[in-house]
Amino acid sequence: MRSLDFPLLPRHHTSTSAVSCMGRTRDALAEMLDFWSSLQRYLEEVWRKHSWMQLTPGAMFAGELGRWGSANGKPHGLGCLALAEAQHLGSFREGRAEGQGLWFSSCGKVCFGKWKSNARVGDFILLDAQGRLWREQYDSQGKRYSKKMAPVESEPGEAFQCSHCNWKYHQRFNHCYACQLGADGADGCAPHRGWAEQS
C-alpha cells in the first residue's frame, strides 16, 4: 500500500517518522512549527482549489477527495476536517486520518504526529491550552503509554479565545479554516479572531 506521507520536514531530518526523532536534541515547539510551516504551504495550494463541503451534519471538510484514487466522496488526500470539538489537518485515506498531521481541539490543544487509520501511533508532541508542551507515545493500536513534559527554549504562551466561535487557539497555528463559524462567511473560511482583534 502506498504511503501518504509527504515531504513536510526540512531536509536535515533523516527519521522515517515525522517525529520519531522527537527533538531529543531539538526543541519540541520548533518541531511543531517546522511541520506546521510546511503543511500550511501544501494546504494553501489545496485550498485554492477546494472549499468547505458538508460530509455529514457534524462534519465539514476543505480539501482533496481523490488525490490518490477514488474515495467515494470521502476525504482522500490533504485537507482540513472540522468536527464539533476538533479539527484535523493533514493526510486522509478513505475518510480517515492517515499519515502526518495536526489535531486542534476546541479547548486549545494542538497535537502533532502520525496517524494510522484515525489512531495516533508512535511519538507525538502536544501543546496544551496553558502553553505547556508534552511528549506522548502511542502503541500501534492508538493507546497512549507515555506522557512527559517537554523542555522548551521559548514559552509558546497560553491559548487565546476566538471572539467569533469561542474556540481556544494558539495564534502561531491559526489558519484560514480555523474558525468554526467561518463557513458561514461569504468566502466560506475565516481564521480565529481574538477579543482584541474584534472591531
Side-chain angles (χ1 to χ4, degrees), residues 43-198:
L43 286 173
E44 284 170 2
E45 288 296 316
V46 169
W47 290 337
R48 283 187 183 91
K49 302 172 193 163
H50 307 278
S51 60
W52 281 127
M53 66 174 289
Q54 191 85 37
L55 296 176
T56 66
M60 297 197 51
F61 183 73
E64 300 171 317
L65 298 178
R67 182 177 189 173
W68 296 287
S70 174
N72 301 320
K74 296 177 183 175
H76 200 70
L78 298 177
C80 172
L81 177 64
L83 306 169
E85 299 296 322
Q87 282 189 352
H88 181 88
L89 279 72
S91 307
F92 294 85
R93 179 189 297 274
E94 297 289 335
R96 296 176 172 269
E98 183 80 22
Q100 301 170 355
L102 285 161
W103 174 85
F104 301 89
S105 76
S106 61
C107 63
K109 293 179 184 175
V110 181
C111 195
F112 159 51
K114 191 171 185 176
W115 278 258
K116 184 161 181 64
S117 194
N118 271 355
R120 295 175 188 181
V121 293
D123 297 319
F124 271 74
I125 299 172
L126 172 71
L127 172 60
D128 68 22
Q130 292 73 38
R132 295 177 302 228
L133 281 155
W134 303 87
R135 293 193 183 278
E136 300 181 329
Q137 293 181 308
Y138 291 82
D139 65 18
S140 62
Q141 303 302 308
K143 184 175 179 177
R144 186 178 69 202
Y145 64 88
S146 175
K147 182 177 182 177
K148 297 177 183 173
M149 189 168 277
V152 292
E153 293 173 13
S154 62
E155 292 297 320
E158 290 188 23
F160 295 95
Q161 187 164 12
C162 179
S163 61
H164 194 210
C165 69
N166 290 321
W167 272 40
K168 289 189 176 181
Y169 69 99
H170 290 276
Q171 184 59 39
R172 291 179 180 187
F173 296 98
N174 204 0
H175 59 91
C176 70
Y177 283 98
C179 184
Q180 291 298 91
L181 298 179
D184 296 337
D187 60 359
C189 66
H192 287 303
R193 297 183 297 245
W195 296 108
E197 299 165 320
Q198 183 183 21

Side-chain angles (χ1 to χ4, degrees), residues 2-13:
R2 196 162 120 193
S3 171
L4 297 186
D5 284 342
F6 39 95
L8 293 177
L9 294 176
R11 297 207 184 274
H12 65 271
H13 280 271

